Each structure stands twice: as C-alpha cells, then as structure tokens.
Amino acid sequence: MIISIIGGTDGLGKWFASFLKNKGFTVIVSGRDNIKGKEAEKELGVLYTSSNVEASKKGDIVIISVPINVTDSVIKEVAPHVKPGSLLMDITSIKEGPSKLMKEYSNEGVFILPSHPMFGPETPSLKRQVVILTPIEGEINPFFKKIRKFLENEGAKVIVVSPKEHDKIMGVVQGLTHFVYISLGSTLKDLEIDIKESRNFASPIYELMINIIARIIGQNPYLYADIQMHNSQIINIHEAFIKNCEKISKIVQEQDRDSFVENMKNSAEHFGNETKRGLNCSNKAVYAISRENEKLLKSIGKEVGLKHIYSENVHCGILKEVYSDYLVIKQNEKEIILNISNVSLMDDKDLKLWKDENLEKYFTDISVLFKKNIDLSIIIELLAHKFEIQVIDTYSGEKIDKNELSVTFRVYSFNKPELKVLRETFSFIIDNIGGKIRY
C-alpha cells in the first residue's frame, strides 16, 4: 500500500511519514521546499516529490498535512486527482470546512475520513495519544474500521464524532484554552510583570499557570492564530468568555461579595464531581514538581540519570549543583548544564537498565573463605545491598581446610578506576562478617 502525505517534509506530516514507513508502508511525501524534501527522503527512506498532484495520484491513502490557512486551497488542488477506491484524509485541527471541501472536490469512488491527531511531532509513539476521526455522515467507508483498528492496535485512544461536533468541542478545548492563556500572557506584559521575579513569590497554582502560559505563547503563533480564526464556533465562545469576565469584574467593582460567592457556587455545581477530580489532579501535578525538586536536592553528590523529556536522551553522571532553573551534572570529567524543566529524574531501576544496555561494564574477581556450614544466600543478600555482584565459583576440596568453603565473587562497576575502591570496601565487609580473603 502506498501512502502519500501532502506536506510530509515537516511537522506532524513528517512524523507520520516516519511512523508509517517504519510500519512497512511505502511512503511518498510532497512539499514545496526541495532541500527539506530531499533531506526527509534521505533521513526517513521515503520518496519525495515537489508536486502535490503527483503524490496524490499515486497514493492508496492520501493524507493532507498542511497549515490550517492553506488546507482549503490544498484540498482543492489535490482532491480531484485522488484515484477512485483510495482514501483521502486530512489531519488539521478544524474539521467542518475541510470535510465539505474534500467531499465536493473528490471524484466518485474516493472515500473520505477527516481526522485530528491530538498530539505534536515531539510525541515518541501513538501509545495513549488521542486521535479523533470524523467520518462523513451516511458514507459507507471500507477504510474506516481498518484505520480505527490500526490506531487502536498502536495504543491510541480513538474518538469518533461528526465534523460539526468536533469543531464545537475543539472550540472550547483548544480555542478557549489558547484564548484565555494568550490573553493572560498579554495581561502580564501590559502590567510589566517580571515573570522570573514573580516566581519567587509564586504559589504552586501560579507556578503551574505561568508554565502553561509559557508553553502556549512559546509555540508557533501562526498555528494558534489559525486555530482561532478558522473555527466558525470560536466567536460565540469568545463572546461568552468576555461576557463572564465583564460580569465578574463588575461584581468585584461593586464589592458584591454575595454575588461573587453565588457565581463560584453555580460554576462548581455545574462541574459536579469534576471539581474534586480537578483538585486531586492539580495536587498531583504540584506534588510531582515539588517531589522531584526535593529528590534532586537530596541527590547532589550522587550519581543520577536524567532523561530529556523530548529527545529521550539520557545524561548519567554525578549531580554537582541544583539552581532554580538549571542543574549541573559531571559526566566523564565534563560538566554539563541542563534545564530542569527539560529533564526528568530516572529511578534507580530504570537507570540500572539503561546503564546495562548502554555502558561498558568492568569487574574484579575476589575469592573468600567461609565456614563450610554458612548460609551463602544470606551473605549474597547482604552484599547485594552494597555491590553489584555475581557468584562465579564455589569450591571445597584438597586446597583448603575441610571445614571451609571457597566462594569467588565477581564485583561489577561501570567506572574502571572505582574497582580498586570497591575491592577494598568489599574486603573490609568480608573481614567483619567472619570471612577471609583468599586471593
């Protein structure tokens, strides 16, 4: 099966090109930037063409992945060239308009399945990601069940709604959310608030709010503008929000405490049990941030593993310093500065697994004499708390006393110079539990 991705040289289109290529499909990508297209072709092992029309003619599935503001024009360009029996999809965050245009401009026999992946190109896989499918009402689409099953088999959560219902919900989930936080960012700018300084006075909720504002305003402003301006439901949502802002502001100006309380109670009643859920979830978020910061502070001077939350690259070394926004880790005699917000602290189990898979391991062998009737399992359990060890040999015979047992331990380390120190510590412990170093 050939999958053509219109706009597959960048962003989410490129993500799907890589993902689908790795699943064994033949993938064609198109894009207007020849340099970027050739780079994608070489990097991903896909086929590149600068012609959207040529790509659409060859695809058994044609996926349109372009910015919202050009989605309509690209649909009009490529839809007439999709061959009958094929599937035409788009992955933009607006569904009503594109759905109608794909239906209008496609040839008879072309199946249509508008979709909206609710994640970005930094996502490592489809596991636990939401994908919304908005099939055309009344259309029998043989691809629908196959696409849904494929996504669910990859771990995605699939939601099926109409294009109109999608845009109404997304007008709130994306449109209202972005509108509120972008407005908050503008307000803080107009108030000339020093954001970094304000964090010193921050409550946990303010800290979360600042992080969310920064997350949104730090991304592609053209995408966010298009989300606001291409959803027909947005204006009504804005008006409802502004109306409530003005109403609450007036209540405050008039010092009408009872009305303020009533307004909050009415909102809480509308939320129902979601108020308790929201409290619990926000508490977890606050607690997680605080707990990781505490763990980092307690880990100064110790070996840690820090995984980058986007690239998943791991930095392993001795944690030297922790500042408000940054930390310093010593790795292979080199100090590396990392942004705390970009990394997560690995637990001991995950760090050990990573080290086993990625680092060279060294060892030293130490033979010990014990009383023959000793319970070796207890000795091993004791030593395993301090060392990574393995019993490689046990011996009783002519070369040692008949009442003794010789046990050879292999002690491991990822740091070769550390083996000498480990050997000395091991010998000290053995002497104190009644054993004798043989060699």
Side-chain angles (χ1 to χ4, degrees):
M1 181 173 285
I2 297 174
I3 300 179
S4 296
I5 303 179
I6 312 302
T9 62
D10 202 2
L12 197 55
K14 185 178 180 182
W15 186 95
F16 271 106
S18 174
F19 177 78
L20 294 168
K21 172 65 178 177
N22 290 334
K23 295 299 173 183
F25 296 100
T26 299
V27 178
I28 300 172
V29 298
S30 68
R32 59 189 178 184
D33 188 326
N34 283 322
I35 295 175
K36 192 177 286 186
K38 290 296 182 183
E39 288 175 351
E41 184 175 58
K42 184 177 179 181
E43 177 189 347
L44 306 180
V46 299
L47 302 172
Y48 166 70
T49 174
S50 60
S51 170
N52 292 339
V53 170
E54 287 305 309
S56 64
K57 285 180 179 178
K58 296 176 181 177
D60 299 303
I61 296 177
V62 179
I63 302 172
I64 297 175
S65 175
V66 295
I68 297 171
N69 64 312
V70 295
T71 296
D72 289 359
S73 61
V74 171
I75 289 173
K76 292 175 183 178
E77 176 191 7
V78 305
H81 302 282
V82 178
K83 59 189 178 184
S86 298
L87 176 67
L88 177 61
M89 305 178 70
D90 78 305
I91 56 174
T92 187
S93 59
I94 307 297
K95 294 272 71 76
E96 219 176 345
S99 298
K100 291 176 182 176
L101 285 174
M102 285 191 285
K103 182 80 172 173
E104 180 182 350
Y105 282 84
S106 294
N107 293 314
E108 187 175 347
V110 172
F111 301 99
I112 297 165
L113 185 56
S115 64
H116 181 193
M118 294 290 291
F119 56 88
E122 71 280 353
T123 304
S125 73
L126 279 175
K127 289 181 181 177
R128 296 180 295 277
Q129 302 301 323
V130 174
V131 180
I132 303 173
L133 301 179
T134 62
I136 304 297
E137 187 177 355
E139 180 182 80
I140 298 173
N141 189 337
F143 284 92
F144 174 74
K145 288 184 178 179
K146 294 177 182 179
I147 296 290
R148 182 172 188 169
K149 185 178 179 181
F150 173 78
L151 293 169
E152 290 177 340
N153 286 344
E154 292 297 324
K157 178 184 178 182
V158 178
I159 297 174
V160 181
V161 295
S162 69
K164 185 174 182 179
E165 184 66 16
H166 168 278
D167 285 2
K168 182 179 179 181
I169 296 171
M170 282 300 109
V172 173
V173 172
Q174 287 188 320
L176 179 59
T177 301
H178 299 166
F179 182 72
V180 169
Y181 283 107
I182 292 168
S183 298
L184 287 171
S186 297
T187 302
L188 292 171
K189 174 188 72 68
D190 289 347
L191 292 173
E192 297 184 349
I193 299 298
D194 185 321
I195 304 302
K196 188 173 183 179
E197 176 67 17
S198 74
R199 287 181 185 270
N200 295 327
F201 302 86
S203 66
I205 296 302
Y206 178 82
E207 184 78 20
L208 283 174
M209 183 189 77
I210 289 296
N211 289 339
I212 296 172
I213 293 171
R215 175 186 176 87
I216 289 174
I217 64 174
Q219 299 190 57
N220 184 346
Y222 297 100
L223 170 63
Y224 283 75
D226 290 339
I227 289 172
Q228 293 293 319
M229 297 174 189
H230 287 79
N231 186 334
S232 60
Q233 308 285 337
I234 284 290
I235 299 303
N236 290 335
I237 292 168
H238 285 185
E239 289 176 351
F241 175 70
I242 293 168
K243 180 181 176 182
N244 273 276
C245 287
E246 291 174 342
K247 182 179 83 171
I248 296 170
S249 178
K250 184 179 179 183
I251 288 171
V252 172
Q253 290 173 37
E254 294 176 351
Q255 297 288 293
D256 188 350
R257 192 165 181 264
D258 290 339
S259 294
F260 189 95
V261 170
E262 183 183 4
N263 185 78
M264 278 190 67
K265 284 182 176 179
N266 289 340
S267 297
E269 185 179 342
H270 175 75
F271 270 62
N273 290 333
E274 291 300 312
T275 55
K276 185 175 181 180
R277 184 173 183 268
L279 178 64
N280 292 338
C281 289
S282 59
N283 282 343
K284 282 176 68 175
V286 170
Y287 177 67
I289 294 170
S290 301
R291 195 171 85 166
E292 181 156 82
N293 287 339
E294 288 175 8
K295 279 187 176 180
L296 284 170
L297 290 170
K298 289 179 180 178
S299 299
I300 293 175
K302 300 176 183 177
E303 182 183 60
V304 296
L306 299 164
K307 180 183 284 189
H308 197 281
I309 60 176
Y310 299 121
S311 68
E312 296 196 330
N313 291 334
V314 172
H315 297 277
C316 177
I318 304 299
L319 184 61
K320 302 292 289 183
E321 297 285 349
V322 177
Y323 302 103
S324 58
D325 297 324
Y326 299 93
L327 52 80
V328 181
I329 185 173
K330 189 172 183 180
Q331 184 177 353
N332 298 326
E333 304 304 317
K334 182 180 179 182
E335 290 192 349
I336 299 172
I337 299 174
L338 299 170
N339 190 315
I340 290 177
S341 62
N342 289 340
V343 296
S344 62
L345 184 64
M346 299 171 71
D347 61 32
D348 293 341
K349 182 180 178 182
D350 287 342
L351 178 58
K352 185 180 184 305
L353 286 173
W354 180 86
K355 289 170 69 175
D356 286 339
E357 293 174 359
N358 294 277
L359 300 182
E360 185 175 358
K361 190 181 287 188
Y362 306 95
F363 63 85
T364 182
D365 293 339
I366 307 171
S367 288
V368 180
L369 291 173
F370 294 107
K371 295 291 185 182
K372 197 168 187 178
N373 61 354
I374 196 167
D375 188 334
L376 186 58
S377 64
I378 295 176
I379 298 295
I380 294 171
E381 184 179 354
L382 172 67
L383 294 172
H385 285 290
K386 185 72 177 176
F387 309 96
E388 183 180 350
I389 61 168
Q390 177 187 4
V391 174
I392 62 170
D393 182 53
T394 58
Y395 171 78
S396 60
E398 297 178 357
K399 296 181 180 181
I400 60 174
D401 189 282
K402 63 180 182 179
N403 294 318
E404 291 181 325
L405 174 69
S406 175
V407 182
T408 302
F409 296 93
R410 180 160 288 174
V411 182
Y412 294 94
S413 175
F414 293 101
N415 184 355
K416 192 173 183 180
E418 187 186 37
L419 289 176
K420 183 179 179 181
V421 176
L422 288 177
R423 192 178 182 94
E424 291 172 354
T425 306
F426 187 92
S427 299
F428 177 79
I429 293 173
I430 290 297
D431 287 342
N432 280 273
I433 61 174
K436 294 186 295 183
I437 298 297
R438 187 180 177 203
Y439 57 82

